[in-house]
Amino acid sequence: MRPLLLALPALLPLLAPAALAQEEVQSRAVARGVTPRSTGDAGCDEAASAWRACIAASPKPAPDKVQANTEVDKFVRDVFDARGAHRDNLLRACGRTASGYRQMVGNGTCAANITGARDDQATRAEAPPGSLAAQRRQR
C-alpha cells in the first residue's frame, strides 16, 4: 500500500491529463502575467465583459482605456486564482457587478465618464459584513 501512496503523485497526470494539462497551462499563463481567457465562472466573465463595455463607452483617451482594461485583466486573474471563501465572495459579487455595469452603459453613466469613486462607495455600502469592501467602509 505504501509504494502506491508514494507513486500516486506521479500517477495523477495519467488519471486526468486533459484537465491537469489545461490547469497547468492556465497557471503558467497567470504566473507570466497573461490574462486567462476566462475567470472560470460565467457570471464573473459577464461582469468583466460588462466592465469592458463601460470602458469602451467612456470618453477617456486611449491610454486611460488601456489602463482601465488592465484593471479588468487583473480582476480576471484574481477570480481565476482565488480559492475557498475568497473565491466564493468574488463569485457572489459578480452578478451585481455585471448588472451595475450594464445599467451604467444603458443609462449613459459610462459615456458621461461619471463612474469611479461613487460606484466604489455604493459597492462598499452594499457589501456583506466581513467582506473586504465592508471593512473598507468602516475606515
Side-chain angles (χ1 to χ4, degrees):
M1 181 74 155
R2 187 174 174 112
L4 180 60
L5 290 176
L6 293 174
L8 188 57
L11 295 174
L12 282 176
L14 300 174
L15 299 175
L20 287 174
Q22 178 64 25
E23 185 174 322
E24 184 178 327
V25 168
Q26 289 282 13
S27 294
R28 275 191 259 131
V30 170
R32 289 190 317 268
V34 175
T35 301
R37 289 185 304 273
S38 170
T39 63
D41 177 78
C44 290
D45 289 344
E46 185 181 345
S49 177
W51 190 357
R52 290 188 198 281
C54 185
I55 293 165
S58 80
K60 293 181 183 293
D64 290 347
K65 287 184 178 187
V66 168
Q67 179 59 40
N69 277 296
T70 299
E71 293 302 315
V72 180
D73 292 345
K74 289 177 186 176
F75 165 77
V76 170
R77 287 192 302 269
D78 286 349
V79 174
F80 181 84
D81 287 341
R83 299 292 180 260
H86 181 63
R87 181 171 176 81
D88 294 343
N89 286 338
L90 287 170
L91 298 182
R92 278 193 296 274
C94 284
R96 292 189 315 271
T97 302
S99 173
Y101 277 113
R102 281 193 310 270
Q103 181 180 4
M104 289 190 298
V105 169
N107 70 17
T109 301
C110 297
N113 201 29
I114 53 175
T115 64
R118 215 174 42 192
D119 305 322
D120 189 43
Q121 186 67 27
T123 299
R124 290 179 191 174
E126 296 173 7
S131 70
L132 183 57
Q135 292 168 16
R136 288 181 179 153
R137 176 177 64 217
Q138 295 170 352
R139 291 181 190 167

